[in-house]
């Protein structure tokens, strides 16, 4: 393992709220595979990083047939050739729904602030059988939001894919979500898209808002901060414009 990759892994470990390390080198990156099953919220997927010992790396959302959005902290500094977007649960043989090659990473220039912690991944080819999530911007009042959580595992093991919901608490400059139904993964929530009851994507988990009192050993949080679509409309438009298929409003 190169010293550069080693340093990058430890830096990402500190900022992603996922455990990241390098596995033994493999001969080639895995090929793209089309999804073979329809699952609820299929567009609420995940990122897999080639040679990372854990999977998934972060959560992510398909917002156009060939554009995925996630938290910038999940992909900053990682070459696009090492990233795959996946749908379905994680199994020892890969993602049960398929993984797809990324050809370009676009990071929000304002990503240093968690309210703008967004990046877009342009896929090498459009997904034809997963419906992208439509954007929504109305977060003027508290609302119930829903997402998918992935429990990250060591590569070669199986990881659960579960739906969870929380109550959004918006303010002028921030949005927090307090989980209320189901239990979100303690490790792989970063980059997860939160959708309202109309199925509109309102924001992406950027960071843990707060942790349980006295909890100094785990990544489990009692609330999550969102990088909201409404706070990042310029970057969202830039991300959609990178698509070869999407119609930009």
């Amino acid at each position: 393992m190169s010293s550069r990759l080693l340093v990058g892994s430890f830096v990402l470990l500190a900022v992603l709220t996922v455990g990241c390390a390098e596995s033994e080198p493999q001969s080639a990156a895995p090929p793209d595979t089309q999804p073979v099953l329809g699952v609820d919220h299929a567009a609420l997927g995940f990122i897999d990083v080639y040679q990372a010992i854990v999977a998934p790396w972060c959560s992510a959302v398909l917002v156009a047939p060939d554009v995925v959005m996630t938290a910038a902290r999940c992909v900053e500094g990682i070459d696009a050739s090492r990233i795959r977007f996946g749908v379905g649960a994680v199994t020892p043989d890969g993602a049960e729904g398929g993984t797809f090659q990324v050809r370009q990473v676009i990071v929000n220039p304002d990503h240093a602030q968690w309210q703008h912690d967004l990046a877009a991944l342009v896929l090498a080819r459009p997904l034809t059988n997963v419906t992208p999530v439509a954007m929504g911007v109305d977060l003027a009042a508290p609302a119930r939001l829903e997402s998918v959580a992935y429990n990250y595992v060591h590569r070669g093991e199986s990881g659960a894919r579960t739906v969870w919901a929380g109550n959004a608490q918006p303010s002028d400059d921030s949005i927090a979500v307090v989980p209320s139904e189901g239990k979100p993964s303690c490790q792989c929530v970063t980059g997860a898209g939160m959708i309202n009851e109309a199925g509109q994507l309102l924001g992406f988990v950027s960071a843990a808002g707060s942790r349980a009192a006295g909890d100094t050993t785990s990544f489990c949080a009692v609330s999550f901060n969102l990088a909201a679509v409404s706070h990042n409309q310029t970057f969202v438009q830039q991300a959609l414009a990178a698509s070869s298929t999407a119609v930009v409003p």
Side-chain angles (χ1 to χ4, degrees):
M1 181 186 352
S2 71
S3 59
R4 180 179 179 182
L5 286 178
L6 180 62
V7 172
S9 295
F10 281 112
V11 170
L12 284 167
L13 172 63
V15 299
L16 289 183
T17 70
V18 298
C20 301
E22 298 298 324
S23 63
E24 292 299 317
Q26 302 176 31
S27 58
D32 287 357
T33 55
Q34 282 290 330
V36 295
L37 72 163
V39 293
D40 290 340
H41 303 325
L44 305 185
F46 63 87
I47 294 169
D48 187 26
V49 173
Y50 178 55
Q51 290 190 336
I53 199 169
V54 295
W57 186 258
C58 275
S59 296
V61 183
L62 187 73
V63 297
D66 55 353
V67 176
V68 171
M69 289 186 67
T70 186
R73 66 183 62 201
C74 291
V75 295
E76 184 183 18
I78 301 177
D79 191 86
S81 65
R82 297 186 63 215
I83 304 172
R84 294 287 190 275
F85 171 66
V87 295
V90 180
T91 73
D93 296 322
E96 66 180 5
T99 58
F100 305 90
Q101 184 178 359
V102 173
R103 67 174 175 82
Q104 183 182 7
V105 177
I106 305 171
V107 176
N108 187 345
D110 297 326
H111 70 278
Q113 302 176 35
W114 66 259
Q115 292 93 338
H116 307 294
D117 181 21
L118 292 177
L121 310 177
V122 183
L123 301 181
R125 58 187 174 91
L127 275 63
T128 58
N129 50 358
V130 177
T131 302
V133 179
M135 300 285 187
V137 297
D138 185 11
L139 258 179
R144 178 185 181 276
L145 302 181
E146 192 169 80
S147 190
V148 170
Y150 291 88
N151 294 308
Y152 82 71
V153 295
H154 286 87
R155 194 168 301 279
E157 299 175 351
S158 295
R161 180 181 191 273
T162 59
V163 176
W164 63 282
N167 298 317
Q169 300 176 348
S171 64
D172 289 340
D173 62 355
S174 66
I175 299 164
V177 176
V178 179
S180 61
E181 304 161 44
K183 183 179 180 181
S185 163
C186 294
Q187 299 95 345
C188 197
V189 179
T190 306
M194 302 297 300
I195 61 174
N196 62 14
E197 292 181 296
Q200 298 172 319
L201 178 66
L202 297 188
F204 299 80
V205 174
S206 170
S210 59
R211 304 191 184 281
D215 183 359
T216 60
T217 60
S218 78
F219 292 117
C220 298
V222 295
S223 70
F224 300 93
N225 292 328
L226 296 189
V229 171
S230 59
H231 294 168
N232 294 277
Q233 293 187 61
T234 298
F235 182 74
V236 167
Q237 294 300 311
Q238 179 185 359
L240 292 177
S243 173
S244 62
T245 62
V247 176
V248 180

